[in-house]
Amino acid sequence: MIHRLCIFGVGLIGGSLAKALRAASAVDRIVGCGRTEANLVRAVELNVIDEYTLDPVTAVTGADMIVVAVTLGATRSIFEQITEHIAPTTILTDVGSAKARVVDAARECLGESFSRFVPGHPIAGTEKSGVDAAFETLFCDHRVILTPLVETNRDALKVVFEMWQATG
């Protein structure tokens, strides 16, 4: 059970993950963070997230799971902003398609939290984008590729694996 999930990027993938976890009763509270307040307000209206903030530091406060679902070009910036504010037990993962770039940014930015970062990529999507396109069954019967590293904490890997299992 994820008690406080923080999702950076509440669009098709991040929003669908939130909806799937909520439908599976696998999460208590979901905090969304992004660049566009209108999108986050819409996500609250659609009951995709419970609350939102535009401030990454506020978003990760108290989170036990952080999912980075932003464009590959924005990932490093997110890591840089949150690294000193991640709790010692918080687990992180991403949904980016290009792992080398994301892993390099995580390795360079996350410090002690790097061992709790589990790179991932769901093989799912549609031609639509944005939170209005999100739906809870997007990941059903689709694969998610997790790419743990030598440094990856096995307990963190297990939690991320179970999170994706809960989505179907």
Side-chain angles (χ1 to χ4, degrees):
M1 170 64 85
I2 300 168
H3 298 291
R4 187 172 176 93
L5 170 66
C6 170
I7 298 179
F8 286 96
V10 187
L12 172 66
I13 301 296
S16 294
L17 177 60
K19 290 181 94 161
L21 293 174
R22 190 182 305 283
S25 298
V27 64
D28 289 331
R29 190 132 188 98
I30 304 170
V31 178
C33 188
R35 297 173 299 158
T36 310
E37 188 167 20
N39 184 66
L40 295 167
V41 168
R42 182 71 178 144
V44 171
E45 291 170 353
L46 294 171
N47 197 35
V48 173
I49 59 175
D50 299 300
E51 62 185 272
Y52 74 88
T53 179
L54 299 175
D55 176 37
V57 172
T58 301
V60 301
T61 301
D64 53 335
M65 173 72 74
I66 298 169
V67 176
V68 180
V70 298
T71 62
L72 291 174
T75 302
R76 174 179 292 278
S77 174
I78 297 296
F79 289 155
E80 289 172 343
Q81 293 174 70
I82 67 173
T83 189
E84 300 200 13
H85 306 280
I86 301 169
T89 57
T90 302
I91 297 168
L92 301 94
T93 190
D94 79 303
V95 299
S97 58
K99 293 288 83 148
R101 188 171 177 182
V102 172
V103 169
D104 288 347
R107 190 182 307 277
E108 292 168 18
C109 299
L110 292 179
E112 292 180 17
S113 298
F114 180 69
S115 67
R116 294 182 318 281
F117 173 65
V118 180
H121 178 56
I123 309 302
T126 71
E127 70 284 354
K128 297 178 181 175
S129 62
V131 72
D132 283 301
F135 59 102
E136 71 184 57
T137 59
L138 176 65
F139 306 110
C140 286
D141 299 322
H142 284 80
R143 295 190 185 275
V144 174
I145 300 171
L146 299 180
T147 55
L149 307 159
V150 172
E151 303 94 330
T152 303
N153 176 290
R154 295 300 158 199
D155 291 333
L157 176 60
K158 181 177 185 263
V159 171
V160 172
F161 179 83
E162 289 171 352
M163 177 187 77
W164 284 110
Q165 286 288 103
T167 69

Short mmCIF file of all heavy atoms in Angstrom, two decimals, residues 131-158:
data_model
loop_
_atom_site.label_atom_id
_atom_site.label_comp_id
_atom_site.label_asym_id
_atom_site.label_seq_id
_atom_site.Cartn_x
_atom_site.Cartn_y
_atom_site.Cartn_z
N VAL A 131 -4.38 14.87 -18.98
CA VAL A 131 -5.12 14.19 -17.92
C VAL A 131 -6.51 13.76 -18.38
O VAL A 131 -7.03 12.75 -17.92
CB VAL A 131 -5.18 15.05 -16.64
CG1 VAL A 131 -6.10 16.25 -16.80
CG2 VAL A 131 -5.59 14.20 -15.45
N ASP A 132 -7.11 14.49 -19.30
CA ASP A 132 -8.44 14.09 -19.80
C ASP A 132 -8.39 12.77 -20.57
O ASP A 132 -9.41 12.09 -20.68
CB ASP A 132 -9.03 15.18 -20.70
CG ASP A 132 -9.57 16.35 -19.90
OD1 ASP A 132 -10.47 16.13 -19.07
OD2 ASP A 132 -9.07 17.48 -20.08
N ALA A 133 -7.23 12.40 -21.06
CA ALA A 133 -7.08 11.14 -21.79
C ALA A 133 -6.77 9.96 -20.86
O ALA A 133 -6.80 8.80 -21.29
CB ALA A 133 -5.97 11.27 -22.83
N ALA A 134 -6.50 10.22 -19.59
CA ALA A 134 -6.13 9.16 -18.65
C ALA A 134 -7.30 8.23 -18.37
O ALA A 134 -8.44 8.67 -18.28
CB ALA A 134 -5.64 9.79 -17.34
N PHE A 135 -7.00 6.93 -18.26
CA PHE A 135 -8.04 5.97 -17.89
C PHE A 135 -7.40 4.83 -17.10
O PHE A 135 -6.25 4.46 -17.31
CB PHE A 135 -8.81 5.46 -19.11
CG PHE A 135 -7.99 4.79 -20.17
CD1 PHE A 135 -7.96 3.41 -20.28
CD2 PHE A 135 -7.26 5.55 -21.09
CE1 PHE A 135 -7.22 2.78 -21.28
CE2 PHE A 135 -6.51 4.93 -22.09
CZ PHE A 135 -6.49 3.55 -22.19
N GLU A 136 -8.17 4.26 -16.18
CA GLU A 136 -7.63 3.32 -15.19
C GLU A 136 -7.18 1.99 -15.77
O GLU A 136 -6.41 1.29 -15.14
CB GLU A 136 -8.61 3.10 -14.05
CG GLU A 136 -9.84 2.31 -14.41
CD GLU A 136 -10.82 2.20 -13.26
OE1 GLU A 136 -11.24 3.24 -12.74
OE2 GLU A 136 -11.15 1.06 -12.89
N THR A 137 -7.61 1.63 -16.95
CA THR A 137 -7.24 0.32 -17.50
C THR A 137 -6.12 0.41 -18.56
O THR A 137 -5.85 -0.57 -19.23
CB THR A 137 -8.46 -0.38 -18.11
OG1 THR A 137 -9.01 0.46 -19.14
CG2 THR A 137 -9.51 -0.69 -17.05
N LEU A 138 -5.47 1.56 -18.66
CA LEU A 138 -4.42 1.72 -19.68
C LEU A 138 -3.35 0.64 -19.60
O LEU A 138 -2.87 0.16 -20.62
CB LEU A 138 -3.76 3.10 -19.55
CG LEU A 138 -2.58 3.37 -20.49
CD1 LEU A 138 -3.05 3.38 -21.95
CD2 LEU A 138 -1.90 4.68 -20.15
N PHE A 139 -3.00 0.22 -18.40
CA PHE A 139 -1.89 -0.72 -18.24
C PHE A 139 -2.31 -2.18 -18.19
O PHE A 139 -1.45 -3.07 -18.17
CB PHE A 139 -1.09 -0.36 -16.98
CG PHE A 139 -0.66 1.08 -16.97
CD1 PHE A 139 -1.23 1.98 -16.09
CD2 PHE A 139 0.29 1.54 -17.86
CE1 PHE A 139 -0.86 3.31 -16.09
CE2 PHE A 139 0.67 2.87 -17.88
CZ PHE A 139 0.09 3.76 -17.00
N CYS A 140 -3.61 -2.44 -18.18
CA CYS A 140 -4.09 -3.82 -18.12
C CYS A 140 -3.56 -4.62 -19.31
O CYS A 140 -3.64 -4.17 -20.46
CB CYS A 140 -5.61 -3.86 -18.12
SG CYS A 140 -6.34 -3.36 -16.56
N ASP A 141 -3.00 -5.78 -19.00
CA ASP A 141 -2.46 -6.68 -20.01
C ASP A 141 -1.35 -6.07 -20.86
O ASP A 141 -1.14 -6.47 -22.01
CB ASP A 141 -3.59 -7.21 -20.91
CG ASP A 141 -4.62 -7.99 -20.12
OD1 ASP A 141 -4.23 -8.71 -19.18
OD2 ASP A 141 -5.82 -7.86 -20.42
N HIS A 142 -0.66 -5.08 -20.31
CA HIS A 142 0.52 -4.51 -20.96
C HIS A 142 1.75 -4.79 -20.10
O HIS A 142 1.64 -4.99 -18.90
CB HIS A 142 0.36 -2.99 -21.14
CG HIS A 142 -0.55 -2.63 -22.25
ND1 HIS A 142 -1.92 -2.64 -22.12
CD2 HIS A 142 -0.31 -2.25 -23.53
CE1 HIS A 142 -2.48 -2.28 -23.26
NE2 HIS A 142 -1.53 -2.03 -24.13
N ARG A 143 2.87 -4.77 -20.72
CA ARG A 143 4.12 -4.99 -19.99
C ARG A 143 4.66 -3.67 -19.44
O ARG A 143 4.44 -2.62 -20.03
CB ARG A 143 5.18 -5.61 -20.90
CG ARG A 143 4.81 -6.99 -21.36
CD ARG A 143 5.98 -7.66 -22.05
NE ARG A 143 5.61 -8.93 -22.59
CZ ARG A 143 5.59 -10.06 -21.91
NH1 ARG A 143 5.92 -10.07 -20.65
NH2 ARG A 143 5.24 -11.19 -22.48
N VAL A 144 5.37 -3.79 -18.34
CA VAL A 144 6.13 -2.67 -17.79
C VAL A 144 7.55 -3.21 -17.64
O VAL A 144 7.77 -4.24 -17.03
CB VAL A 144 5.58 -2.21 -16.43
CG1 VAL A 144 6.49 -1.14 -15.83
CG2 VAL A 144 4.17 -1.69 -16.59
N ILE A 145 8.49 -2.49 -18.21
CA ILE A 145 9.88 -2.92 -18.11
C ILE A 145 10.54 -2.17 -16.96
O ILE A 145 10.62 -0.94 -16.98
CB ILE A 145 10.63 -2.65 -19.43
CG1 ILE A 145 9.96 -3.43 -20.57
CG2 ILE A 145 12.11 -3.02 -19.29
CD1 ILE A 145 10.48 -3.08 -21.94
N LEU A 146 10.98 -2.93 -15.95
CA LEU A 146 11.75 -2.35 -14.85
C LEU A 146 13.20 -2.69 -15.11
O LEU A 146 13.52 -3.83 -15.48
CB LEU A 146 11.28 -2.91 -13.50
CG LEU A 146 9.83 -2.62 -13.14
CD1 LEU A 146 9.49 -3.22 -11.78
CD2 LEU A 146 9.54 -1.13 -13.16
N THR A 147 14.07 -1.72 -14.93
CA THR A 147 15.49 -1.92 -15.24
C THR A 147 16.35 -1.60 -14.02
O THR A 147 17.05 -0.59 -14.00
CB THR A 147 15.92 -1.07 -16.46
OG1 THR A 147 15.60 0.29 -16.19
CG2 THR A 147 15.20 -1.51 -17.72
N PRO A 148 16.27 -2.44 -13.00
CA PRO A 148 17.07 -2.18 -11.80
C PRO A 148 18.56 -2.22 -12.13
O PRO A 148 18.99 -2.90 -13.06
CB PRO A 148 16.68 -3.31 -10.86
CG PRO A 148 16.17 -4.40 -11.75
CD PRO A 148 15.56 -3.71 -12.93
N LEU A 149 19.31 -1.48 -11.35
CA LEU A 149 20.75 -1.40 -11.52
C LEU A 149 21.43 -2.19 -10.41
O LEU A 149 20.77 -2.63 -9.46
CB LEU A 149 21.17 0.07 -11.47
CG LEU A 149 20.40 0.96 -12.46
CD1 LEU A 149 20.45 2.40 -12.06
CD2 LEU A 149 20.93 0.74 -13.85
N VAL A 150 22.70 -2.35 -10.48
CA VAL A 150 23.44 -3.05 -9.43
C VAL A 150 23.17 -2.41 -8.07
O VAL A 150 23.00 -3.10 -7.07
CB VAL A 150 24.96 -3.05 -9.75
CG1 VAL A 150 25.76 -3.59 -8.59
CG2 VAL A 150 25.23 -3.83 -11.02
N GLU A 151 23.07 -1.08 -8.06
CA GLU A 151 22.87 -0.35 -6.80
C GLU A 151 21.42 -0.37 -6.29
O GLU A 151 21.14 0.07 -5.18
CB GLU A 151 23.27 1.13 -6.97
CG GLU A 151 24.67 1.37 -7.43
CD GLU A 151 24.79 1.52 -8.94
OE1 GLU A 151 23.99 0.93 -9.71
OE2 GLU A 151 25.71 2.23 -9.38
N THR A 152 20.49 -0.82 -7.11
CA THR A 152 19.08 -0.74 -6.76
C THR A 152 18.75 -1.58 -5.53
O THR A 152 19.04 -2.77 -5.49
CB THR A 152 18.19 -1.18 -7.94
OG1 THR A 152 18.48 -0.37 -9.08
CG2 THR A 152 16.71 -1.05 -7.59
N ASN A 153 18.12 -0.94 -4.58
CA ASN A 153 17.66 -1.60 -3.36
C ASN A 153 16.57 -2.61 -3.75
O ASN A 153 15.60 -2.25 -4.40
CB ASN A 153 17.13 -0.53 -2.40
CG ASN A 153 16.54 -1.11 -1.15
OD1 ASN A 153 15.48 -1.72 -1.18
ND2 ASN A 153 17.21 -0.87 -0.03
N ARG A 154 16.74 -3.85 -3.34
CA ARG A 154 15.80 -4.92 -3.71
C ARG A 154 14.41 -4.70 -3.12
O ARG A 154 13.41 -5.08 -3.72
CB ARG A 154 16.35 -6.29 -3.32
CG ARG A 154 17.61 -6.66 -4.08
CD ARG A 154 17.35 -6.70 -5.58
NE ARG A 154 18.60 -6.53 -6.31
CZ ARG A 154 18.67 -6.17 -7.58
NH1 ARG A 154 17.60 -5.92 -8.26
NH2 ARG A 154 19.83 -6.04 -8.18
N ASP A 155 14.32 -4.12 -1.93
CA ASP A 155 13.02 -3.82 -1.35
C ASP A 155 12.30 -2.75 -2.16
O ASP A 155 11.08 -2.83 -2.37
CB ASP A 155 13.15 -3.37 0.12
CG ASP A 155 13.59 -4.51 1.03
OD1 ASP A 155 13.32 -5.69 0.70
OD2 ASP A 155 14.21 -4.22 2.07
N ALA A 156 13.04 -1.75 -2.64
CA ALA A 156 12.45 -0.72 -3.49
C ALA A 156 11.94 -1.33 -4.79
O ALA A 156 10.84 -1.01 -5.25
CB ALA A 156 13.47 0.39 -3.77
N LEU A 157 12.73 -2.22 -5.36
CA LEU A 157 12.32 -2.91 -6.59
C LEU A 157 11.02 -3.68 -6.36
O LEU A 157 10.10 -3.62 -7.18
CB LEU A 157 13.43 -3.86 -7.06
CG LEU A 157 13.10 -4.73 -8.27
CD1 LEU A 157 12.76 -3.88 -9.49
CD2 LEU A 157 14.28 -5.66 -8.55
N LYS A 158 10.92 -4.35 -5.25
CA LYS A 158 9.72 -5.13 -4.92
C LYS A 158 8.49 -4.21 -4.82
O LYS A 158 7.42 -4.54 -5.35
CB LYS A 158 9.92 -5.88 -3.61
CG LYS A 158 8.75 -6.74 -3.19
CD LYS A 158 9.08 -7.50 -1.91
CE LYS A 158 7.96 -8.45 -1.55
NZ LYS A 158 7.05 -7.93 -0.57
#
